[in-house]
Coordinates of all heavy atoms in Angstrom, one line a residue:
M1 N 101.6 14.8 57.8 CA 103.0 14.8 58.2 C 103.8 15.3 57.1 O 103.6 15.0 55.9 CB 103.4 13.3 58.4 CG 104.9 13.2 58.8 SD 105.3 11.6 59.3 CE 106.7 11.4 58.1
R2 N 104.7 16.2 57.4 CA 105.5 16.9 56.3 C 106.7 16.0 56.0 O 107.3 15.3 56.8 CB 106.1 18.2 57.0 CG 106.5 19.2 55.9 CD 106.7 20.5 56.4 NE 107.9 20.5 57.2 CZ 108.3 21.5 57.8 NH1 107.6 22.7 57.9 NH2 109.4 21.5 58.5
S3 N 106.9 15.9 54.7 CA 108.0 14.9 54.1 C 109.4 15.5 54.1 O 110.3 14.8 53.6 CB 107.5 14.5 52.8 OG 107.4 15.6 51.9
F4 N 109.6 16.8 54.6 CA 110.9 17.3 54.6 C 111.2 18.1 55.8 O 110.3 18.5 56.5 CB 111.0 18.2 53.3 CG 110.2 19.5 53.4 CD1 110.7 20.6 54.0 CD2 108.9 19.4 52.9 CE1 109.9 21.7 54.0 CE2 108.1 20.6 53.0 CZ 108.6 21.7 53.6
S5 N 112.5 18.4 55.9 CA 112.9 19.4 57.0 C 114.1 20.2 56.5 O 114.8 19.7 55.6 CB 113.3 18.6 58.3 OG 114.5 17.8 58.0
L6 N 114.2 21.4 57.0 CA 115.3 22.3 56.6 C 116.3 22.3 57.8 O 115.8 22.5 59.0 CB 114.8 23.7 56.3 CG 114.0 23.8 55.0 CD1 113.4 25.2 54.9 CD2 114.9 23.5 53.8
N7 N 117.6 22.2 57.5 CA 118.6 22.2 58.6 C 119.7 23.1 58.2 O 119.9 23.4 57.0 CB 119.1 20.8 58.8 CG 118.0 19.8 59.1 OD1 117.3 20.0 60.1 ND2 117.8 18.9 58.2
N8 N 120.5 23.5 59.2 CA 121.7 24.3 59.0 C 121.4 25.6 58.1 O 122.2 25.9 57.3 CB 122.7 23.5 58.3 CG 123.2 22.3 59.0 OD1 123.2 22.3 60.3 ND2 123.3 21.2 58.4
L9 N 120.3 26.2 58.4 CA 120.0 27.5 57.7 C 121.0 28.5 58.1 O 121.2 28.8 59.3 CB 118.5 27.9 58.1 CG 118.0 28.9 57.2 CD1 116.5 28.6 56.8 CD2 118.1 30.3 57.6
Q10 N 121.6 29.2 57.1 CA 122.6 30.2 57.4 C 122.2 31.4 56.5 O 122.1 31.3 55.3 CB 124.0 29.7 57.0 CG 124.4 28.6 57.9 CD 125.8 28.1 57.5 OE1 126.5 28.6 56.6 NE2 126.4 27.1 58.2
V11 N 122.0 32.5 57.2 CA 121.8 33.8 56.5 C 123.1 34.3 55.9 O 124.1 34.3 56.6 CB 121.2 34.9 57.4 CG1 121.1 36.2 56.7 CG2 119.8 34.3 57.9
Q12 N 123.1 34.7 54.7 CA 124.2 35.2 54.0 C 124.3 36.7 54.1 O 123.5 37.4 53.5 CB 124.3 34.8 52.6 CG 124.2 33.3 52.3 CD 125.4 32.6 52.9 OE1 126.5 32.9 52.7 NE2 125.1 31.5 53.8
E13 N 125.3 37.3 54.8 CA 125.4 38.7 55.0 C 126.2 39.3 53.8 O 127.1 38.7 53.2 CB 126.2 39.0 56.3 CG 125.5 38.4 57.5 CD 124.2 39.1 57.9 OE1 124.0 40.3 57.5 OE2 123.4 38.5 58.5
G14 N 125.9 40.5 53.5 CA 126.6 41.3 52.6 C 126.4 41.0 51.1 O 127.2 41.4 50.2
T15 N 125.3 40.3 50.9 CA 124.9 40.0 49.4 C 123.4 40.4 49.3 O 122.6 40.2 50.2 CB 125.2 38.6 49.1 OG1 124.7 38.4 47.8 CG2 124.5 37.6 50.0
H16 N 123.1 40.9 48.2 CA 121.7 41.3 47.9 C 120.9 40.3 47.1 O 119.7 40.3 47.1 CB 121.6 42.6 47.2 CG 122.2 43.8 48.0 ND1 121.6 44.2 49.1 CD2 123.4 44.4 47.8 CE1 122.3 45.3 49.5 NE2 123.4 45.4 48.9
T17 N 121.6 39.3 46.6 CA 121.0 38.3 45.8 C 120.8 37.0 46.6 O 119.7 36.4 46.7 CB 121.8 38.0 44.4 OG1 121.9 39.3 43.8 CG2 121.0 37.0 43.6
L18 N 121.9 36.4 47.1 CA 121.9 35.2 47.9 C 121.6 35.6 49.3 O 122.4 36.2 50.0 CB 123.2 34.5 47.8 CG 123.3 33.3 48.7 CD1 122.3 32.2 48.3 CD2 124.7 32.7 48.6
L19 N 120.4 35.3 49.8 CA 120.0 35.6 51.1 C 120.3 34.6 52.1 O 120.7 34.8 53.3 CB 118.4 35.8 51.1 CG 117.9 37.0 50.2 CD1 116.4 37.2 50.4 CD2 118.6 38.3 50.6
A20 N 120.2 33.3 51.8 CA 120.4 32.2 52.7 C 120.6 30.9 52.1 O 120.2 30.7 50.9 CB 119.2 32.1 53.7
T21 N 121.3 30.0 52.8 CA 121.5 28.6 52.4 C 120.9 27.7 53.4 O 120.9 28.0 54.6 CB 123.0 28.2 52.0 OG1 123.7 28.4 53.3 CG2 123.5 29.1 50.9
A22 N 120.6 26.5 53.0 CA 120.2 25.4 54.0 C 120.4 24.0 53.4 O 120.6 23.9 52.2 CB 118.6 25.7 54.4
D23 N 120.3 23.0 54.3 CA 120.2 21.7 53.8 C 118.8 21.1 53.9 O 118.1 21.4 54.9 CB 121.2 20.8 54.7 CG 122.6 21.2 54.6 OD1 123.0 21.8 53.6 OD2 123.3 21.0 55.6
L24 N 118.4 20.4 52.9 CA 117.0 19.9 52.8 C 117.1 18.4 53.0 O 117.8 17.7 52.3 CB 116.5 20.2 51.4 CG 115.2 19.6 51.0 CD1 114.0 20.1 52.0 CD2 114.8 19.9 49.6
T25 N 116.3 17.9 53.9 CA 116.2 16.4 54.2 C 114.9 16.0 53.8 O 113.9 16.5 54.2 CB 116.5 16.1 55.6 OG1 117.8 16.6 56.1 CG2 116.5 14.6 55.9
L26 N 114.8 15.0 52.9 CA 113.6 14.4 52.4 C 113.2 13.1 53.1 O 114.2 12.2 53.1 CB 113.6 14.2 50.9 CG 113.8 15.5 50.1 CD1 114.0 15.1 48.6 CD2 112.7 16.5 50.3
Y27 N 112.1 12.9 53.7 CA 111.7 11.7 54.3 C 112.7 11.1 55.3 O 112.9 9.9 55.4 CB 111.3 10.6 53.2 CG 110.3 11.1 52.3 CD1 110.6 11.6 51.1 CD2 109.0 11.0 52.7 CE1 109.7 12.0 50.2 CE2 108.0 11.5 51.8 CZ 108.3 12.0 50.6 OH 107.4 12.4 49.6
N28 N 113.4 11.9 56.0 CA 114.5 11.5 57.0 C 115.5 10.7 56.4 O 116.2 9.9 57.1 CB 113.9 10.9 58.1 CG 113.2 11.9 59.1 OD1 113.6 13.0 59.2 ND2 112.1 11.5 59.7
E29 N 115.7 10.6 55.0 CA 116.6 9.7 54.4 C 117.5 10.3 53.3 O 118.6 9.8 53.1 CB 115.8 8.5 53.8 CG 115.0 7.8 54.8 CD 114.8 6.3 54.5 OE1 115.5 5.9 53.6 OE2 114.1 5.7 55.1
V30 N 117.0 11.4 52.7 CA 117.8 11.9 51.5 C 118.2 13.3 51.9 O 117.3 14.2 52.2 CB 117.0 11.9 50.3 CG1 117.8 12.6 49.1 CG2 116.6 10.5 49.9
L31 N 119.5 13.6 51.9 CA 120.0 15.0 52.2 C 120.4 15.7 50.9 O 121.2 15.2 50.1 CB 121.2 14.9 53.2 CG 121.9 16.3 53.4 CD1 121.0 17.2 54.2 CD2 123.2 16.1 54.1
I32 N 119.9 16.9 50.7 CA 120.3 17.7 49.6 C 120.9 18.9 50.2 O 120.3 19.8 50.8 CB 119.1 18.2 48.7 CG1 118.4 16.9 48.2 CG2 119.5 19.0 47.6 CD1 117.0 17.2 47.5
A33 N 122.2 19.0 50.0 CA 123.0 20.2 50.7 C 122.9 21.4 49.8 O 122.8 21.4 48.6 CB 124.5 19.7 50.9
E34 N 123.0 22.6 50.5 CA 123.2 23.8 49.9 C 122.1 24.3 49.0 O 122.4 24.8 47.9 CB 124.5 23.9 49.1 CG 125.7 23.8 50.1 CD 126.1 25.1 50.7 OE1 125.9 26.2 50.2 OE2 126.5 25.0 51.9
I35 N 120.8 24.2 49.4 CA 119.8 24.8 48.7 C 119.9 26.3 49.0 O 120.4 26.7 50.0 CB 118.4 24.2 48.9 CG1 117.9 24.5 50.4 CG2 118.3 22.8 48.6 CD1 116.5 24.1 50.6
K36 N 119.3 27.1 48.1 CA 119.6 28.6 48.2 C 118.3 29.4 48.2 O 117.3 29.0 47.4 CB 120.5 29.1 47.2 CG 121.9 28.5 47.2 CD 122.7 28.9 46.1 CE 124.0 28.2 46.1 NZ 124.7 28.2 44.9
L37 N 118.2 30.5 49.0 CA 117.1 31.4 48.9 C 117.7 32.6 48.2 O 118.6 33.3 48.6 CB 116.6 31.7 50.3 CG 115.3 32.7 50.3 CD1 114.1 32.0 49.6 CD2 115.0 33.0 51.7
I38 N 117.1 32.9 47.1 CA 117.5 34.0 46.2 C 116.5 35.1 46.1 O 115.3 34.8 46.1 CB 117.7 33.4 44.7 CG1 118.7 32.2 44.7 CG2 118.2 34.5 43.8 CD1 120.1 32.5 45.0
F39 N 117.1 36.3 46.0 CA 116.2 37.5 45.8 C 116.6 38.2 44.5 O 117.8 38.6 44.4 CB 116.3 38.5 47.0 CG 115.5 39.7 46.8 CD1 114.2 39.7 46.9 CD2 116.1 41.0 46.6 CE1 113.4 40.9 46.8 CE2 115.4 42.1 46.4 CZ 114.0 42.1 46.5
R40 N 115.7 38.2 43.6 CA 116.0 38.8 42.2 C 114.7 39.3 41.6 O 113.6 38.6 41.7 CB 116.6 37.7 41.3 CG 117.1 38.3 40.0 CD 117.8 37.3 39.1 NE 118.9 36.6 39.8 CZ 119.2 35.3 39.6 NH1 118.5 34.6 38.9 NH2 120.2 34.8 40.3
K41 N 114.7 40.4 41.1 CA 113.6 41.1 40.4 C 112.5 41.2 41.4 O 111.3 40.8 41.1 CB 113.2 40.3 39.1 CG 114.3 40.3 38.1 CD 113.8 39.6 36.9 CE 115.0 39.5 35.9 NZ 114.6 38.8 34.6
K42 N 112.8 41.6 42.6 CA 111.8 41.9 43.6 C 111.0 40.7 44.1 O 109.8 40.7 44.5 CB 110.8 43.0 43.2 CG 111.5 44.3 43.0 CD 110.5 45.4 42.6 CE 111.2 46.7 42.3 NZ 110.3 47.8 42.0
Q43 N 111.6 39.5 43.9 CA 111.0 38.3 44.2 C 111.9 37.3 45.0 O 113.0 37.2 44.6 CB 110.5 37.6 42.9 CG 109.5 36.5 43.1 CD 108.9 36.2 41.7 OE1 109.5 36.5 40.7 NE2 107.9 35.4 41.7
L44 N 111.4 36.5 45.9 CA 112.2 35.5 46.6 C 111.8 34.1 46.0 O 110.7 33.9 45.6 CB 111.7 35.4 48.0 CG 112.2 36.5 49.0 CD1 111.5 36.4 50.3 CD2 113.6 36.6 49.2
F45 N 112.9 33.3 45.8 CA 112.6 32.0 45.3 C 113.7 31.0 45.6 O 114.8 31.4 46.0 CB 112.5 32.0 43.7 CG 113.7 32.4 42.9 CD1 114.6 31.4 42.5 CD2 114.0 33.7 42.6 CE1 115.8 31.8 41.8 CE2 115.1 34.1 42.0 CZ 116.0 33.1 41.6
L46 N 113.3 29.7 45.6 CA 114.2 28.6 46.0 C 115.0 28.2 44.8 O 114.5 28.1 43.7 CB 113.4 27.4 46.5 CG 114.1 26.1 46.6 CD1 115.0 26.2 47.8 CD2 113.0 25.0 46.9
S47 N 116.4 28.0 45.1 CA 117.2 27.6 44.0 C 117.9 26.3 44.5 O 118.5 26.2 45.5 CB 118.3 28.6 43.7 OG 119.3 28.1 42.8
M48 N 117.7 25.2 43.7 CA 118.2 23.9 44.1 C 119.7 23.9 43.5 O 120.2 24.7 42.7 CB 117.4 22.8 43.4 CG 116.0 22.7 43.8 SD 115.9 22.4 45.6 CE 116.4 20.7 45.6
P49 N 120.5 22.9 44.0 CA 121.9 22.8 43.6 C 122.0 22.6 42.1 O 121.1 21.9 41.5 CB 122.4 21.6 44.4 CG 121.6 21.5 45.6 CD 120.2 21.9 45.1
T50 N 123.0 23.2 41.5 CA 123.2 23.0 40.0 C 124.6 22.6 39.7 O 125.5 22.6 40.6 CB 123.0 24.5 39.3 OG1 123.9 25.4 39.9 CG2 121.5 24.9 39.5
R51 N 124.8 22.2 38.4 CA 126.1 21.9 38.0 C 126.2 22.5 36.5 O 125.1 22.6 35.9 CB 126.4 20.4 38.0 CG 125.6 19.6 37.1 CD 126.0 18.1 37.2 NE 125.1 17.3 36.4 CZ 125.2 16.9 35.2 NH1 126.3 17.3 34.5 NH2 124.4 16.2 34.6
R52 N 127.4 22.7 36.2 CA 127.6 23.3 34.8 C 127.6 22.2 33.8 O 128.3 21.2 33.9 CB 128.9 24.1 34.8 CG 129.0 24.9 33.5 CD 130.2 25.8 33.6 NE 130.3 26.6 32.5 CZ 130.8 27.8 32.4 NH1 131.5 28.2 33.4 NH2 130.8 28.4 31.3
K53 N 126.9 22.4 32.7 CA 126.8 21.4 31.6 C 127.0 22.3 30.4 O 126.0 22.9 29.8 CB 125.5 20.7 31.6 CG 125.4 19.6 30.5 CD 124.2 18.7 30.8 CE 124.2 17.6 29.8 NZ 123.0 16.7 30.0
G54 N 128.1 22.3 29.8 CA 128.4 23.2 28.6 C 128.4 24.6 29.1 O 129.1 25.0 30.1
N55 N 127.6 25.4 28.5 CA 127.4 26.9 28.8 C 126.3 27.1 29.7 O 125.9 28.3 30.0 CB 127.2 27.7 27.6 CG 128.5 27.7 26.7 OD1 129.6 27.5 27.2 ND2 128.4 27.9 25.4
K56 N 125.6 26.0 30.2 CA 124.4 26.2 31.0 C 124.6 25.6 32.4 O 125.5 24.7 32.6 CB 123.2 25.5 30.4 CG 122.7 26.0 29.1 CD 121.5 25.2 28.6 CE 121.1 25.7 27.2 NZ 119.9 24.9 26.8
Y57 N 123.7 26.0 33.3 CA 123.7 25.3 34.6 C 122.4 24.6 34.7 O 121.3 25.1 34.3 CB 123.7 26.4 35.7 CG 125.1 27.0 35.9 CD1 125.5 28.1 35.3 CD2 126.0 26.3 36.8 CE1 126.8 28.7 35.4 CE2 127.3 26.8 36.9 CZ 127.7 27.9 36.2 OH 129.0 28.5 36.4
V58 N 122.4 23.3 35.1 CA 121.2 22.5 35.2 C 121.1 22.1 36.7 O 122.1 21.9 37.4 CB 121.3 21.2 34.3 CG1 121.3 21.7 32.8 CG2 122.5 20.4 34.6
E59 N 119.9 21.9 37.1 CA 119.6 21.4 38.5 C 120.0 20.0 38.7 O 119.8 19.2 37.8 CB 118.1 21.5 38.8 CG 117.6 23.0 39.0 CD 116.2 23.1 39.6 OE1 115.5 22.1 39.4 OE2 115.9 24.1 40.1
V60 N 120.7 19.7 39.8 CA 121.1 18.4 40.0 C 119.9 17.6 40.5 O 119.9 16.4 40.2 CB 122.3 18.4 41.1 CG1 122.7 17.0 41.6 CG2 123.4 19.2 40.6
V61 N 119.1 18.2 41.3 CA 117.9 17.5 41.8 C 116.7 18.3 41.4 O 116.7 19.6 41.6 CB 117.9 17.4 43.3 CG1 116.7 16.8 43.9 CG2 119.2 16.7 43.8
Q62 N 115.6 17.7 41.0 CA 114.4 18.4 40.7 C 113.3 17.9 41.5 O 113.1 16.6 41.7 CB 114.0 18.2 39.2 CG 114.9 18.9 38.3 CD 114.5 18.8 36.8 OE1 113.7 18.0 36.4 NE2 115.1 19.6 35.9
L63 N 112.6 18.8 42.2 CA 111.4 18.4 43.0 C 110.2 18.6 42.3 O 110.0 19.3 41.3 CB 111.4 19.3 44.2 CG 112.7 19.5 45.1 CD1 112.5 20.4 46.2 CD2 113.1 18.1 45.7
S64 N 109.2 17.9 42.7 CA 107.8 18.1 42.1 C 107.4 19.5 42.4 O 107.9 20.2 43.3 CB 106.8 17.1 42.7 OG 106.5 17.5 44.0
E65 N 106.5 20.0 41.5 CA 106.0 21.4 41.7 C 105.5 21.6 43.1 O 105.8 22.7 43.7 CB 105.0 21.6 40.7 CG 104.6 23.1 40.6 CD 103.6 23.4 39.4 OE1 103.8 22.8 38.4 OE2 102.7 24.2 39.7
K66 N 104.6 20.8 43.6 CA 104.1 20.9 44.9 C 105.2 21.0 46.0 O 105.1 21.8 46.9 CB 103.0 19.9 45.3 CG 102.4 20.0 46.6 CD 101.5 18.9 47.0 CE 100.9 19.0 48.4 NZ 101.6 19.6 49.4
L67 N 106.1 20.0 46.0 CA 107.1 19.9 47.0 C 108.0 21.1 46.9 O 108.4 21.7 47.9 CB 108.0 18.6 46.9 CG 109.0 18.4 47.9 CD1 108.5 18.5 49.3 CD2 109.8 17.1 47.6
H68 N 108.3 21.5 45.7 CA 109.1 22.8 45.5 C 108.5 24.0 46.2 O 109.2 24.8 46.9 CB 109.4 23.0 44.0 CG 110.5 24.0 43.7 ND1 110.1 25.4 43.7 CD2 111.8 23.9 43.4 CE1 111.3 26.1 43.4 NE2 112.2 25.2 43.2
R69 N 107.2 24.1 45.9 CA 106.4 25.3 46.5 C 106.4 25.2 48.0 O 106.6 26.2 48.7 CB 105.1 25.2 45.9 CG 104.2 26.5 46.2 CD 102.8 26.5 45.5 NE 102.2 25.2 45.6 CZ 101.9 24.4 44.5 NH1 102.3 24.7 43.3 NH2 101.2 23.2 44.7
D70 N 106.2 23.9 48.6 CA 106.1 23.8 49.9 C 107.5 24.1 50.7 O 107.6 24.8 51.7 CB 105.7 22.3 50.4 CG 104.2 22.1 50.0 OD1 103.5 23.1 49.7 OD2 103.9 20.9 50.1
V71 N 108.6 23.6 50.1 CA 109.9 23.8 50.6 C 110.2 25.4 50.5 O 110.8 25.9 51.5 CB 111.0 23.0 49.9 CG1 112.4 23.4 50.3 CG2 110.8 21.6 50.1
E72 N 109.9 25.9 49.4 CA 110.2 27.4 49.2 C 109.4 28.2 50.3 O 110.0 29.1 50.9 CB 109.8 27.8 47.8 CG 110.0 29.3 47.4 CD 109.6 29.5 46.0 OE1 108.4 29.5 45.7 OE2 110.5 29.7 45.2
R73 N 108.2 27.9 50.5 CA 107.3 28.6 51.5 C 108.0 28.4 52.9 O 108.1 29.5 53.6 CB 106.0 28.1 51.5 CG 105.0 28.9 52.3 CD 103.6 28.4 52.2 NE 103.1 28.4 50.8 CZ 102.6 27.4 50.1 NH1 102.4 26.2 50.6 NH2 102.2 27.5 48.8
E74 N 108.4 27.2 53.3 CA 109.0 27.0 54.5 C 110.3 27.7 54.7 O 110.7 28.3 55.7 CB 109.1 25.5 54.8 CG 109.8 25.2 56.2 CD 108.9 25.6 57.3 OE1 107.7 25.8 57.2 OE2 109.5 25.8 58.4
F75 N 111.1 27.7 53.7 CA 112.5 28.3 53.6 C 112.2 29.8 53.9 O 113.0 30.4 54.7 CB 113.2 28.1 52.3 CG 114.6 28.3 52.4 CD1 115.4 27.9 51.3 CD2 115.3 28.9 53.4 CE1 116.8 28.1 51.2 CE2 116.7 29.0 53.4 CZ 117.4 28.6 52.3
I76 N 111.3 30.4 53.2 CA 111.1 31.9 53.3 C 110.6 32.2 54.8 O 111.1 33.2 55.4 CB 110.1 32.4 52.3 CG1 110.7 32.3 50.9 CG2 109.5 33.7 52.6 CD1 109.7 32.5 49.7
T77 N 109.7 31.4 55.3 CA 109.2 31.5 56.7 C 110.3 31.5 57.6 O 110.5 32.4 58.5 CB 108.1 30.5 57.0 OG1 107.1 30.7 56.0 CG2 107.6 30.6 58.4
Q78 N 111.2 30.5 57.6 CA 112.3 30.4 58.5 C 113.3 31.5 58.3 O 113.8 32.0 59.3 CB 113.0 29.0 58.3 CG 112.2 27.9 58.9 CD 113.0 26.6 59.0 OE1 114.2 26.6 59.1 NE2 112.3 25.5 58.9
Y79 N 113.5 31.9 57.1 CA 114.4 33.1 56.9 C 113.9 34.3 57.6 O 114.6 35.0 58.2 CB 114.6 33.3 55.3 CG 115.3 34.6 55.0 CD1 116.7 34.7 55.2 CD2 114.6 35.8 54.7 CE1 117.3 35.9 54.9 CE2 115.3 36.9 54.4 CZ 116.6 37.0 54.5 OH 117.3 38.2 54.2
Y80 N 112.6 34.6 57.4 CA 112.0 35.8 58.1 C 112.1 35.7 59.6 O 112.4 36.7 60.3 CB 110.7 36.1 57.6 CG 110.6 36.8 56.3 CD1 109.9 36.1 55.2 CD2 111.2 37.9 56.0 CE1 110.0 36.7 53.9 CE2 111.3 38.5 54.8 CZ 110.6 37.9 53.8 OH 110.6 38.5 52.5
K81 N 111.8 34.5 60.1 CA 111.9 34.2 61.6 C 113.4 34.6 62.1 O 113.5 35.2 63.2 CB 111.6 32.9 62.0 CG 110.1 32.6 61.9 CD 109.7 31.2 62.3 CE 108.2 31.0 62.2 NZ 107.9 29.6 62.5
M82 N 114.3 34.1 61.3 CA 115.8 34.3 61.8 C 116.1 35.8 61.7 O 117.0 36.2 62.5 CB 116.7 33.5 60.9 CG 116.7 32.1 61.2 SD 118.0 31.2 60.3 CE 119.5 31.8 61.0
N83 N 115.5 36.6 60.8 CA 115.8 38.0 60.7 C 114.8 38.8 61.4 O 115.0 40.1 61.4 CB 115.8 38.3 59.2 CG 117.0 37.9 58.5 OD1 118.1 38.3 59.0 ND2 117.0 37.1 57.5
G84 N 113.9 38.3 62.2 CA 112.9 39.0 62.9 C 112.1 40.0 62.2 O 111.5 41.0 62.5
K85 N 111.8 39.5 60.9 CA 110.9 40.2 60.0 C 109.5 39.5 60.0 O 109.4 38.4 59.4 CB 111.5 40.3 58.6 CG 112.7 41.1 58.5 CD 113.1 41.1 57.1 CE 114.4 42.0 56.9 NZ 114.9 42.0 55.6
A86 N 108.5 40.1 60.6 CA 107.2 39.5 60.6 C 106.4 39.8 59.4 O 105.6 39.1 58.9 CB 106.5 39.9 61.9
D87 N 106.7 41.0 58.8 CA 105.8 41.5 57.7 C 106.2 40.9 56.3 O 105.6 41.1 55.4 CB 105.9 43.0 57.6 CG 107.3 43.6 57.2 OD1 108.3 42.8 57.4 OD2 107.4 44.7 56.9
Q88 N 107.3 40.2 56.3 CA 107.9 39.5 55.1 C 108.1 40.5 53.9 O 107.7 40.2 52.8 CB 107.0 38.4 54.7 CG 106.9 37.3 55.8 CD 106.3 36.0 55.3 OE1 105.9 35.8 54.1 NE2 106.0 35.1 56.2
S89 N 108.6 41.6 54.2 CA 108.9 42.5 53.1 C 110.4 42.9 53.2 O 110.9 43.0 54.3 CB 108.1 43.8 53.1 OG 108.4 44.5 54.4
L90 N 111.0 43.0 52.1 CA 112.5 43.4 52.1 C 112.7 44.8 52.0 O 112.2 45.6 51.4 CB 113.2 42.6 51.0 CG 113.3 41.2 51.0 CD1 113.8 40.5 49.8 CD2 114.2 40.8 52.3

C-alpha cells in the first residue's frame, strides 16, 4: 500500500523552471501544500516547501530519501500523463 497521494496537480504554463505544483497527502492524515516539480540543468526534481532563514531557504518538511524518491517518481509520471508525453523527454 502506498503511503501518499498527490492531489490538485497543476501544470504551470509559461515557465521553463517550475513545471507543476501539487499537494502531497501522507497516510491520509498530513497535507503538505505546494510541492513543486522543477526542471533545472536538464533534470527534473521534486522541491518541497521552503521558508527563508537569513540569506538561505530551508525546507519546511523533509522526507526520508526513499519517500522523497517515490513521491518524485510519481509526480513526474503524473506530470507526463497530464501533458500527453509518453516518452518522458522535454
Side-chain angles (χ1 to χ4, degrees):
M1 183 176 122
R2 205 165 71 184
S3 58
F4 69 89
S5 64
L6 292 172
N7 306 296
N8 303 321
L9 196 140
Q10 296 180 359
V11 174
Q12 304 297 309
E13 301 291 335
T15 175
H16 297 289
T17 304
L18 175 61
L19 300 181
T21 59
D23 296 335
L24 172 63
T25 303
L26 301 173
Y27 302 100
N28 287 327
E29 300 212 10
V30 178
L31 173 69
I32 302 170
E34 295 280 325
I35 65 171
K36 298 173 184 168
L37 184 62
I38 304 290
F39 179 70
R40 188 177 303 144
K41 297 181 182 178
K42 299 182 182 181
Q43 195 171 15
L44 290 170
F45 66 92
L46 170 67
S47 176
M48 297 300 289
T50 60
R51 68 179 170 93
R52 190 172 186 157
K53 188 173 184 180
N55 293 333
K56 296 181 182 181
Y57 286 92
V58 295
E59 286 186 340
V60 176
V61 176
Q62 292 183 345
L63 304 177
S64 70
E65 188 175 320
K66 181 187 180 324
L67 182 57
H68 190 279
R69 189 174 48 247
D70 291 346
V71 170
E72 183 176 69
R73 188 176 301 126
E74 180 63 21
F75 200 171
I76 291 168
T77 298
Q78 286 191 28
Y79 171 77
Y80 282 122
K81 283 181 183 177
M82 286 185 72
N83 282 304
K85 294 181 180 181
D87 65 344
Q88 298 192 7
S89 63
L90 291 173

